[in-house]
């Protein structure tokens, strides 16, 4: 164990040592190419800390441990987002601090800096994004607590910054969607993509991963069990966002017939071929064009999913039934979408009023009977 000058005579140093791996086996390790003896020893110590779970290491060093543990377990796109936030919003401020030296005051000061940051347009980050940033830091510290004996998650103790996604969200009524979809009939691929998004409530990644074999036109169903993510110019087919997202959706007859005719128009389409060659950016551009032509308000492509849910709520379906269709938890549907239709709240209040009135009438009748009994 130690650092040594390289025998090759190039003036560099190397470290050579042994350690016990996660299986309890003794392993010999050698690392070359250090400019100084100090650098070699520091790398050796950092490596041994990582292997032993010793938190006498910097946040930046521990993040490599976290990456080793977590990256293989989550979707590539999700990991890239997490890593980008940590490296750009956390590492510059606390990356050099030892894990066991990060305090509540550290978190508060870091939060204050982030809350005062502005984006490329000179605007401060949204409350939702601030909450997301904090959640990423907290997840790293929580991992250290759960698996590497860090005493406290100080980010959790301090509390989050920002807030959850706001209750206000944009959506189209059926009338608005019909105006939009009729305006883009000149683009068959976009037309059928938007039809599926609105009438089935798919996420964009789920839409773009659709292949011919996913459709059962005999039973009018489409199977959702994959998602397409485009990362650094390459397409990756992954599992959907959550286990709940794996589902079979029954399509309305008109949509099933339309999609079947669309697929029949392909030349030698294989069962495993993607049926849409669109990108997310092209969907956004076509949505902007269609909105302008039709005169309907501009919403995001993802808001078509909100529109589908809101339509089902208006039709009177339960949160559980809607959740099964769109791949959500029913509690999420209840929390996120119930506010879209205040009339439902009014109907609830009216029902409660009627219930109270009915109860009051029953009590009045009983009192009248008592009085009558006393007079006899």
């Amino acid at each position: 164990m130690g650092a040594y000058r390289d025998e090759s005579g190039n003036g560099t140093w190397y470290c050579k040592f042994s350690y016990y791996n996660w299986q309890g086996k003794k392993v010999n390790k050698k690392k070359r190419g250090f400019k100084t003896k100090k650098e070699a020893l520091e790398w050796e110590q950092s490596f041994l800390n990582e292997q032993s779970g010793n938190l006498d290491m910097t946040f930046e060093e521990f993040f490599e441990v976290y990456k080793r543990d977590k990256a293989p377990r989550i979707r590539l796109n999700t990991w890239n987002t997490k890593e980008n936030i940590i490296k750009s919003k956390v590492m510059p401020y606390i990356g050099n601090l030892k894990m066991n030296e990060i305090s509540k005051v550290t978190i508060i000061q870091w939060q204050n800096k982030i809350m005062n940051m502005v984006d490329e347009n000179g605007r401060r980050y949204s409350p939702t994004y601030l909450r997301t940033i904090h959640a990423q830091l907290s997840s790293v510290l929580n991992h250290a607590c759960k698996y590497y004996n860090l005493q406290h998650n100080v980010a959790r103790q301090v509390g989050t910054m920002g807030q959850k996604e706001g209750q206000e969200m944009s959506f189209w009524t059926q009338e608005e969607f019909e105006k939009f979809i009729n305006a883009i009939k000149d683009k068959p691929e976009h037309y059928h993509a938007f039809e599926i998004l609105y009438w089935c409530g798919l996420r964009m990644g789920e839409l773009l991963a659709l292949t011919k074999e996913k459709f059962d036109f005999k039973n009018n169903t489409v199977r959702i069990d994959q998602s397409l993510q485009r990362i650094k110019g390459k397409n990756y087919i992954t599992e959907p966002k959550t286990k709940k997202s794996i589902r079979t959706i029954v399509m309305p007859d008109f949509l099933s017939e339309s999609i079947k005719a669309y697929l029949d128009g392909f030349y030698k389409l294989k069962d495993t071929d993607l049926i849409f060659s669109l990108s997310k950016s092209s969907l956004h551009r076509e949505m902007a064009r269609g909105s302008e032509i039709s005169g309907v308000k501009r919403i995001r492509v993802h808001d078509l999913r909100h529109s589908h849910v809101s339509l089902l709520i208006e039709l009177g379906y339960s949160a559980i039934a809607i959740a099964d269709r769109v791949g959500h938890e029913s509690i999420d549907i209840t929390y996120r979408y119930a506010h879209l239709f205040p009339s439902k709240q009014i109907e609830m209040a009216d029902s409660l009023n009627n219930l109270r009135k009915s109860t009051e009438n029953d009590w009045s009748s009983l009192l009248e009977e008592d009085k009558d009994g006393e007079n006899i």
Side-chain angles (χ1 to χ4, degrees), residues 142-156:
N142 194 55
H143 188 77
C145 291
K146 191 173 183 180
Y147 298 105
Y148 294 95
N149 300 317
L150 183 66
Q151 291 299 308
H152 303 288
N153 181 347
V154 289
R156 176 179 291 176

Side-chain angles (χ1 to χ4, degrees), residues 63 78-90 129:
F63 186 69
T78 302
W79 172 257
N80 286 343
T81 300
K82 179 187 289 285
E83 186 174 39
N84 180 61
I85 289 175
I86 291 295
K87 288 190 173 181
S88 64
K89 305 298 188 303
V90 180
Y129 187 53

Side-chain angles (χ1 to χ4, degrees), residues 129-146:
Y129 187 53
L130 289 174
R131 186 180 179 89
T132 300
I133 294 171
H134 184 275
Q136 299 310 317
L137 170 59
S138 186
S139 69
V140 176
L141 297 181
N142 194 55
H143 188 77
C145 291
K146 191 173 183 180

Side-chain angles (χ1 to χ4, degrees), residues 32 114 132 220 273 324 369:
R32 296 178 180 275
I114 298 299
T132 300
N220 289 353
D273 287 343
D324 286 340
E369 290 176 6

Side-chain angles (χ1 to χ4, degrees), residues 112-236:
N112 289 339
K113 288 181 179 295
I114 298 299
M115 287 189 291
N116 285 314
M117 289 179 66
V118 295
D119 60 20
E120 61 275 10
N121 297 315
R123 295 175 298 192
R124 291 189 179 181
Y125 297 135
S126 69
T128 304
Y129 187 53
L130 289 174
R131 186 180 179 89
T132 300
I133 294 171
H134 184 275
Q136 299 310 317
L137 170 59
S138 186
S139 69
V140 176
L141 297 181
N142 194 55
H143 188 77
C145 291
K146 191 173 183 180
Y147 298 105
Y148 294 95
N149 300 317
L150 183 66
Q151 291 299 308
H152 303 288
N153 181 347
V154 289
R156 176 179 291 176
Q157 291 178 335
V158 169
T160 189
M161 55 182 172
Q163 60 188 33
K164 289 184 178 180
E165 184 176 352
Q167 292 291 299
E168 294 298 326
M169 61 178 69
S170 299
F171 67 98
W172 277 341
T173 62
Q174 182 187 348
E175 181 182 0
E176 288 173 316
F177 176 73
E178 298 291 359
K179 289 180 180 179
F180 164 80
I181 204 67
N182 285 323
I184 64 164
K185 280 188 173 181
D186 59 323
K187 299 269 189 86
E189 188 175 13
H190 287 89
Y191 173 87
H192 288 93
F194 284 121
E195 280 277 275
I196 293 175
L197 287 172
Y198 182 80
W199 295 108
C200 295
L202 270 59
R203 301 177 178 92
M204 273 195 286
E206 295 170 346
L207 171 84
L208 298 178
L210 289 177
T211 58
K212 182 180 178 180
E213 65 184 356
K214 305 294 184 186
F215 293 88
D216 177 356
F217 294 111
K218 182 178 179 180
N219 296 302
N220 289 353
T221 63
V222 56
R223 178 67 177 168
I224 308 301
D225 55 14
Q226 291 181 318
S227 180
L228 184 146
Q229 306 294 322
R230 188 166 181 81
I231 303 169
K232 297 180 180 178
K234 293 183 178 181
N235 288 338
Y236 294 86

Side-chain angles (χ1 to χ4, degrees), residues 15 19 22 31 35 37 41 44 46 55 85 97 101 109 132 144 157 173-174 204 236 255 274 294 361 370:
C15 56
Y19 70 97
W22 63 278
K31 177 73 173 178
K35 293 181 179 180
K37 181 178 180 179
L41 290 172
E44 177 184 335
S46 176
L55 288 179
I85 289 175
L97 292 179
E101 294 177 351
Q109 292 175 343
T132 300
Q157 291 178 335
T173 62
Q174 182 187 348
M204 273 195 286
Y236 294 86
L255 180 62
L274 297 175
S294 62
N361 290 336
D370 288 345

